[in-house]
Every structure is written in C-alpha cells, then in structure tokens.
Amino acid sequence: MSFQVFGIAVSRGVAIGRAVLVASSRVDVAHYFVAPDQIQAEIDRLLRARDAVVQELATLRDELPGDAPHELAALLDVHLMLLHDEAFTGGASQWIVDRHYNAEWALSAQLEVLARQFDEMEDDYLRERKADLEQVVERVLRALTHAQGNGQPPVSPRDFGGEDPLLLVAADIAPADMIQFKRSVFRGFITDIGGKTSHTAIVARSMDIPAVVGTREASRLIMQDDWVIIDGDAGTVIVNPSPIVLEEYRFRQRQSELERARLARLRHTPAVTLDGEHIELHANIEMPADGEAAVAAGATGVGLFRSEFLFMNRDGELPSEDEQFLAYKAAVEAMKGMPVTIRTVDVGADKPLDRLTVNELRHEHVLNPAMGLRAIRWSLAEPSMFRQQLRAIYRASAFGKVRLLIPMVAHLSEVRQILEMTRKVQQQLTDAGHAFTRVELGVMIEIPAAAIMLPLLLRYVDFVSIGTNDLIQYTLAIDRADEAVAHLYDPWHPAILQLIHQSILQSRLAGKGVSVCGEMAGDPDFTELLLAMGLRNFSMHPSQIPAVKQRVLRADTQRLAAVLPRVLEADDPQTVADRELAIARGGAAIVH
Ligand code: PEP
Ligand code: MG
C-alpha cells in the first residue's frame, strides 16, 4: 500500500531506494557489503559467533548454583532456544545471501523484522520476549566484534552490480553516529526525531544526500525493504509509490542531477556581484578530510571547522594535543594557503561526546543541556583540555593561515579568560621551541546577549561569526532539535533579522571581519537578504557553495541594500523580501 509520511526537509534532492530500518541503539553497527565470493565465509562468521554465545550461555546454565532462582535457568533456556531458532540465524543468513550485508548488519536487520513480529503478538508473555531477543542479539554482536572480521575489505554494491540504493530509516541518529555515515552505503536518511538545524540534520546536509527528519513515526510505519522516495525539498517520504509516481520522481532526480552538474561549472568563477563586490564563500567542515570537498567546491577558506567531531566516538577518551595538531595541520594543508577557522570544541546540548541520541538526552537528568555546560563554558571548566586544544591550534598555524573561533560567548569575562590563556599558551609554545604565527581571535554570535553587547566584545576580538542556528534557538526559545516546535523555528522572525543586521553593521563599523556560518548562510533563499545587510563573508557546507554563488553572481548589493529597510520594517518580512528583493535582484542568469 502506498502512503506518505511528512517531516522536515533538511537536505535537498530526491533519493529513491529500499528502506533499511536500523534501531537507534544499533546505528553504530558496521554496515558494509561483502563480495559475492565471501558470502559463505560471512555466514560462517555469523554462525561461529552464534555458537560461541550458545557455548557461553550453556556453560552459565550448567554452572548455576543449586540455590539459584528457577527463573534464571528458564531465562537462559529461552535465550538458547532463540539462538537455535531458524528465524534467527537462518533469517540473518538470508540477508547476507540476498543483500550481501555483513554479519552485524544482517543480524540487526533480522532483529528489526523479528521485533516487529513480537510487537504484534497478542499474548503479553510472548510480546515481552522481544527484550530477550534484543539481549541475545547484543551478545552475538559482541561476539562478532571480538572475533576477527572476514579479512576482506568492504565492497560497494556497485562492485557486483544490481543492488538497489539503500535509505536509512531510524527513530533517531546521534551526531556521533551520523559522522560515521559520511562514507556510508546509504543514499538518504529518514528519522522520527529532529529539527532543521539539529546537528544530525547538519551532518546529513554536509553529506549532500537527501534527508527528512522529524517525521515522528516513519520508523514505525515503514517496513524493512519497502520502496521509498525521499523528497528532501518538500520534506516528504513516499512509501511504496505507484509506478507513475516513481517515474515522476526519477525524472525530478535526473533534473536535479543536471542542475547540480550545471552549477558545478561555477567552481572556478570568482564570487563577485554585478556591482563588483567580492564575496568570500567559505566552507563548514567536520573533519580534516572534508577540506578536499571544500576546495573542489570552490571554497575560498574554511569558515567553521567544528572541531568537536574529533572528540566524538572515543569512549570517553579525549584526543591528545599531538593528535589534534595533526588533524588541524591536515585541514590547513588541504586548504592550500586559504584561511582555516577552527572553532574550539562545542560539545553539549544535542552534541554529546558519546553516541547519545536526542531522545536519550531528553531522558537524561541534565535539566536543560542547551543552556547548561556547553561549548566555551565546558572548555573553561576543563582548562587543561582547553589549553591542549589551543596549543594544537597554534601549532597548526605554522603551516598556513589559522583563525581561532570561540563558540557560545556571552560574557566579557569569558573573552578575557581566553585572551589570558592564549597568551600563556603562546609562551609555553615559545619555551618548548614550537613554531606558530599570529592567530586571529573571533567569537561566535549565538546568544542574544552577545549580539546586543557586540560593540564591547569587538574591542577584544579580530572578527565575529554569526551562528544563526543557535541565535535563533536562544532568541526564540525554540529547541533546535525538537520537531514539536520546529514550526516556530523561524529565521524570518523580525527579532532575528534585527540581531543579524545589527551584528553585521556593528562589526563593519568597528572595521572587524564578520561572517555568518549558521545554516542561513548556505540557504540560497537568504543570500540576497544577507547581502543587503552588508554581509560579505558566508560559510556553509561545500555542497551549498555553487547555488549560493549563483545568487551572488546575479546580485546587485546597492539595489538590495536600498530595499532592506522595507523588509526590516515589515510585519511579515518574508513576504516583503520575496517581492522587494526579487525586484532589486540584478540582471539575467549567468549560468546557462
Ligand atoms: C550555529 O549555531 O549557527 C553554528 C554554526 O554552530 P552549530 O550549528 O555547530 O551549533
Ligand atoms: Mg552553534
């Protein structure tokens, strides 16, 4: 049966493929394909892990002390029975044979199938056996991790042809897990939870693949293997589409690929407006390896390196100074002399260090993580960690132009502490004989207080970067990761426009650099508005650069600036901007 699920569009384009349902807690399980000649070896690997767990449980049961509760033995028997059930390993093996999934993936896919069957059972006792099944799967997954892999490098489905594209469906995905999907087999994402600028959505966007979040119940309604269309522009998901709908979307998919190819030709065109204003289009990156995509997309620098992703997925261990230094140096070298703005670690809120999902965080006993010990507050509370990061950043400056960016600043005292620490760090590096060059200091404008007191902050810093994602969250009191209030998360709100405009004006007045690195910078719908406000430096995901550049090339900043007051004074700025900015837009299309 065909049906639609509605959510929030976070990453443009159309993806068509088969649904792969993954439980949120198992998103981190390895997902790769095995080569056809390795299928039997992979099944054997699965069976060996199953046998090891059988052995483990049988020993446990045999060695139960005489006075152990009877229920314990019964529980172990249930687990052993599940392990021998054909639906368990037989079903998982079938995924390996049919889909070439690796053993861990096959096992979690089969768990999803069986868990649904348990959910539908009438009998309470049987329904509750789902928890036993989950425990058994957990044990086998652990046994698989401990055992050696099949020794073969993972292969792509294209290597053996004929595989359908796969789209990941999960209740929620933690940013820490999402980052691991960067080079994954999935061609699109659907989640139940999340808002447009939640960090999971941001990483999906940086991967440049269609995604829809905040669907609330997609992971319950969509079945393993269903044919699914993700319309990343409209924020809709069409499940089991009719042939006519499928054809229509295939056509749109081809169109958007053509459009991308057309825009990619702008890569080497300098971003200059019709009236001759030079615009810097920088890239937001999460890993040093993203530098390559930034250069390929025509970025003229990195405006935001979200260094916190280096701190994730490490089981609580933080990266050492040397490890960080090598990562920053790699990013600097990848940018070939162009500036790299490294933001100090911004963990907390919806970006925990470990792989907690937003849902799990909501059940944690942190009262309000977005307003708690996050970003610079955490860094200043962990001075030795922070000094290590500062040293690593300064050391990387010996290899290119490095800028230091501080997230979530709200107090002058924070800036003073940072300045003091950077002085000490420079002294330490000099004493230790490490080379470094001048590093400009910038703060992010993400808290309304910082925007309002900007003239004071500007006395201490070299540049500012407006983080609109958080600025909107904190000005409007809307949790950016909460789909329930996503409709109120409004970049066009007059208060937001005032704060952004004032921040740009004040910075320019003080002769300091100002950029926007929140998601608004990469959304072509805001390009003219930001240009009208006087912005000349935008930072965004590399994949967004061509579309924004196209807008820049067609813009006349003087004409745009002339209509800005009408937009800012309007009750409904979006409607007025659509009309006025369109009229004030410059000449004809540049790209044909
Ligand atoms: C922002 O808040 O706009 C920003 C760029 O930082 P992040 O999205 O990482 O919080
Ligand atoms: Mg932020």
Side-chain angles (χ1 to χ4, degrees):
M1 187 191 57
S2 176
F3 63 94
Q4 286 193 39
V5 183
F6 299 93
I8 302 163
V10 295
S11 193
R12 286 162 192 255
V14 170
I16 303 173
R18 292 224 186 239
V20 175
L21 283 136
V22 181
S24 298
S25 57
R26 288 196 181 72
V27 173
D28 61 319
V29 158
H31 293 85
Y32 58 89
F33 294 102
V34 290
D37 62 355
Q38 288 302 313
I39 287 187
Q40 193 49 50
E42 195 65 5
I43 295 176
D44 292 344
R45 190 165 83 86
L46 174 68
L47 295 179
R48 272 200 307 279
R50 192 269 317 260
D51 291 346
V53 176
V54 167
Q55 191 60 47
E56 193 186 327
L57 294 184
T59 312
L60 213 62
R61 191 195 46 191
D62 292 347
E63 291 175 358
L64 275 182
D67 56 351
H70 161 71
E71 288 80 7
L72 206 55
L75 188 73
L76 289 172
D77 282 335
V78 169
H79 285 197
L80 284 164
M81 198 185 72
L82 286 170
L83 283 165
H84 286 296
D85 193 321
E86 182 53 23
F88 185 68
T89 32
S93 304
Q94 208 55 47
W95 288 106
I96 303 178
V97 173
D98 294 348
R99 296 295 168 76
H100 301 198
Y101 289 178
N102 62 308
E104 291 87 344
W105 185 0
L107 201 57
S108 35
Q110 188 59 10
L111 169 66
E112 281 299 303
V113 172
L114 297 176
R116 276 169 196 249
Q117 291 174 6
F118 276 103
D119 281 343
E120 282 160 13
M121 285 178 184
E122 302 267 312
D123 186 295
D124 284 351
Y125 173 80
L126 288 177
R127 210 169 41 242
E128 280 158 17
R129 300 286 62 79
K130 183 174 125 179
D132 294 312
L133 179 70
E134 285 172 339
Q135 284 172 21
V136 164
V137 168
E138 210 55 67
R139 276 182 185 274
V140 181
L141 283 174
R142 238 177 295 138
L144 278 167
T145 318
H146 288 148
Q148 290 295 317
N150 66 7
Q152 298 294 317
V155 293
S156 129
R158 281 184 295 278
D159 294 345
F160 47 87
E163 279 289 332
D164 301 319
L166 300 176
L167 311 179
L168 183 101
V169 184
D172 196 4
I173 307 175
D177 284 329
M178 198 70 186
I179 198 80
Q180 303 207 323
F181 283 120
K182 278 227 163 181
R183 278 170 192 83
S184 85
V185 295
F186 298 109
R187 296 287 158 262
F189 292 91
I190 304 165
T191 63
D192 295 351
I193 306 279
K196 202 177 175 75
T197 63
S198 62
H199 283 94
T200 298
I202 287 178
V203 180
R205 212 169 291 134
S206 77
M207 291 161 69
D208 198 19
I209 57 175
V212 173
V213 302
T215 60
R216 287 170 174 249
E217 47 185 9
S219 75
R220 199 176 55 76
L221 297 174
I222 299 173
M223 298 287 152
Q224 194 76 262
D225 247 8
D226 275 350
W227 271 99
V228 169
I229 298 173
I230 299 179
D231 182 340
D233 298 302
T236 52
V237 178
I238 304 167
V239 187
N240 295 321
S242 66
I244 288 187
V245 171
L246 200 58
E247 203 29 62
E248 163 70 20
Y249 273 93
R250 287 207 193 283
F251 176 74
R252 279 185 46 186
Q253 203 175 26
R254 283 193 295 274
Q255 293 293 100
S256 81
E257 275 155 21
L258 284 176
E259 172 71 7
R260 270 164 199 256
R262 204 170 61 87
L263 285 178
R265 280 189 252 138
L266 290 177
R267 194 179 314 148
H268 301 298
T269 310
V272 180
T273 63
L274 292 175
D275 55 325
E277 287 282 326
H278 284 260
I279 310 298
E280 294 294 334
L281 300 181
H282 286 184
N284 291 354
I285 65 171
E286 276 94 33
M287 289 288 172
D290 299 338
E292 208 179 297
V295 173
T300 50
V302 167
L304 175 65
F305 178 171
R306 289 185 162 97
S307 71
E308 55 274 14
F309 285 93
L310 294 176
F311 288 62
M312 292 179 183
N313 299 322
R314 313 179 55 95
D315 295 326
E317 210 182 281
L318 300 180
S320 67
E321 177 181 324
D322 279 344
E323 193 181 337
Q324 288 187 62
F325 159 64
L326 291 176
Y328 305 143
K329 176 171 170 270
V332 168
E333 286 176 342
M335 293 311 292
K336 304 177 189 345
M338 293 183 278
V340 176
T341 312
I342 303 172
R343 179 175 72 179
T344 58
V345 63
D346 179 4
V347 291
D350 72 327
K351 249 182 318 190
L353 277 182
D354 41 19
R355 44 169 45 99
L356 286 182
T357 63
V358 169
N359 231 7
E360 286 161 340
L361 276 173
R362 283 180 192 158
H363 294 106
E364 286 276 292
H365 295 292
V366 181
L367 280 182
N368 192 337
M371 297 208 178
L373 197 63
R374 155 180 188 192
I376 186 60
R377 301 169 183 182
W378 186 67
S379 295
L380 291 174
E382 299 281 344
S384 76
M385 178 286 300
F386 192 41
R387 271 194 296 271
Q388 255 185 21
Q389 178 166 40
L390 291 176
R391 276 197 297 268
I393 293 173
Y394 269 87
R395 282 171 61 190
S397 74
F399 298 86
K401 189 169 164 41
V402 169
R403 309 197 313 162
L404 175 64
L405 181 60
I406 311 292
M408 288 270 298
V409 166
H411 302 269
L412 276 179
S413 60
E414 290 164 341
V415 180
R416 288 202 197 97
Q417 284 181 73
I418 293 156
L419 283 168
E420 181 57 29
M421 286 176 92
T422 54
R423 270 193 289 273
K424 280 204 178 121
V425 159
Q426 291 178 65
Q427 190 56 54
Q428 283 174 352
L429 291 176
T430 308
D431 293 348
H434 284 299
F436 62 92
T437 55
R438 177 168 146 72
V439 172
E440 287 186 359
L441 173 69
V443 288
M444 289 194 69
I445 304 301
E446 304 185 275
I447 299 180
I452 295 166
M453 64 182 273
L454 190 54
L456 294 181
L457 287 171
L458 284 165
R459 291 179 192 160
Y460 295 87
V461 300
D462 302 304
F463 69 99
V464 301
S465 188
I466 308 173
T468 51
N469 308 336
D470 277 315
L471 189 61
I472 298 170
Q473 156 163 276
Y474 295 120
T475 306
L476 302 182
I478 302 292
D479 185 336
R480 58 195 266 196
D482 187 350
E483 68 286 351
V485 284
H487 61 291
L488 296 172
Y489 186 95
D490 179 17
W492 287 103
H493 190 292
I496 302 297
L497 301 186
Q498 291 292 349
L499 287 176
I500 298 174
H501 184 218
Q502 283 307 317
S503 300
I504 296 170
L505 278 185
Q506 297 292 349
S507 307
R508 293 189 59 155
L509 211 62
K512 305 280 168 93
V514 54
S515 71
V516 170
C517 63
E519 296 300 295
M520 277 173 84
D523 184 342
D525 288 349
F526 292 102
T527 309
E528 280 120 10
L529 177 78
L530 294 170
L531 287 171
M533 289 178 172
L535 190 74
R536 299 295 179 260
N537 187 321
F538 296 61
S539 193
M540 66 202 81
H541 303 294
S543 61
Q544 296 167 319
I545 291 178
V548 170
K549 189 185 276 184
Q550 172 164 264
R551 293 286 188 133
V552 166
L553 296 175
R554 295 171 177 179
D556 181 324
T557 60
Q558 289 179 17
R559 283 165 67 178
L560 290 172
V563 298
L564 182 69
R566 285 204 284 284
V567 177
L568 294 179
E569 283 158 18
D571 284 358
D572 180 1
Q574 186 170 9
T575 312
V576 176
D578 281 350
R579 190 182 62 232
E580 302 282 339
L581 294 175
I583 295 169
R585 196 177 287 156
I590 302 294
V591 191
H592 302 285

